[in-house]
Amino acid sequence: MLLKYTIAWIPMVFIAIANGVLRQYSYGKWMRELPAHQLSSLTAIILFYAYTRILGDTWPLESSRQALAVGIIWLCLTVAFEFLFGHYVAHHSWSKLLSDYNLFAGRLWMLVLLAVTAAPLVVYKLKS
């Protein structure tokens, strides 16, 4: 099951890209950057939870421990992708990438990571 859920992380990249495109070409045009980022963080959390719920219906997790393992795997993959793709492909500086982790500046990326990590466990608990 862990392998299935690890592979199932890949569409989350495309969900995140679609969420960013939505922000850039719709409400991001009429909002300042920080509120647009915050709204985008909220929509990412909702989309990731909905996707995780679909996965939970398709491949039910067997235990809280397994759900937590999936969440940790997804967290590691997400952070690795963000930094590796963000720095080496998108050519963002390390400081720019790290700035999204500053909750005190209103950046909500940490909450998205928390949601990605918790979603499998939340879905499992709600189904059991």
Side-chain angles (χ1 to χ4, degrees), residues 1-5 8 51-68 70 74 119-128:
M1 190 63 70
L2 288 179
L3 179 59
K4 286 181 182 178
Y5 270 85
Y51 176 68
T52 305
R53 180 66 193 244
I54 292 166
L55 288 176
D57 290 341
T58 306
W59 299 318
L61 292 166
E62 298 164 3
S63 66
S64 295
R65 184 180 176 119
Q66 189 179 59
L68 186 57
V70 168
W74 284 1
L121 184 59
V122 169
V123 167
Y124 172 78
K125 290 290 189 182
L126 289 175
K127 292 177 86 47
S128 46

Side-chain angles (χ1 to χ4, degrees), residues 11-120:
M12 294 175 79
V13 172
F14 298 101
I15 292 168
I17 291 169
N19 188 52
V21 168
L22 175 68
R23 178 185 67 221
Q24 184 175 351
Y25 292 104
S26 62
Y27 60 87
K29 291 182 176 186
W30 298 284
M31 297 176 76
R32 292 188 323 255
E33 194 278 331
L34 182 60
H37 160 78
Q38 293 168 336
L39 180 56
S40 181
S41 296
L42 176 62
T43 58
I45 289 168
I46 292 167
L47 291 169
F48 289 146
Y49 175 78
Y51 176 68
T52 305
R53 180 66 193 244
I54 292 166
L55 288 176
D57 290 341
T58 306
W59 299 318
L61 292 166
E62 298 164 3
S63 66
S64 295
R65 184 180 176 119
Q66 189 179 59
L68 186 57
V70 168
I72 292 169
I73 290 167
W74 284 1
L75 170 66
C76 293
L77 290 170
T78 302
V79 171
F81 179 83
E82 175 195 6
F83 281 101
L84 295 173
F85 182 88
H87 184 73
Y88 294 108
V89 177
H91 304 291
H92 296 302
S93 69
W94 295 115
S95 60
K96 179 183 181 339
L97 293 169
L98 288 170
S99 71
D100 273 338
Y101 288 81
N102 188 350
L103 281 172
F104 297 112
R107 307 304 288 188
L108 303 181
W109 180 244
M110 291 279 286
L111 298 180
V112 175
L113 294 176
L114 178 62
V116 165
T117 306

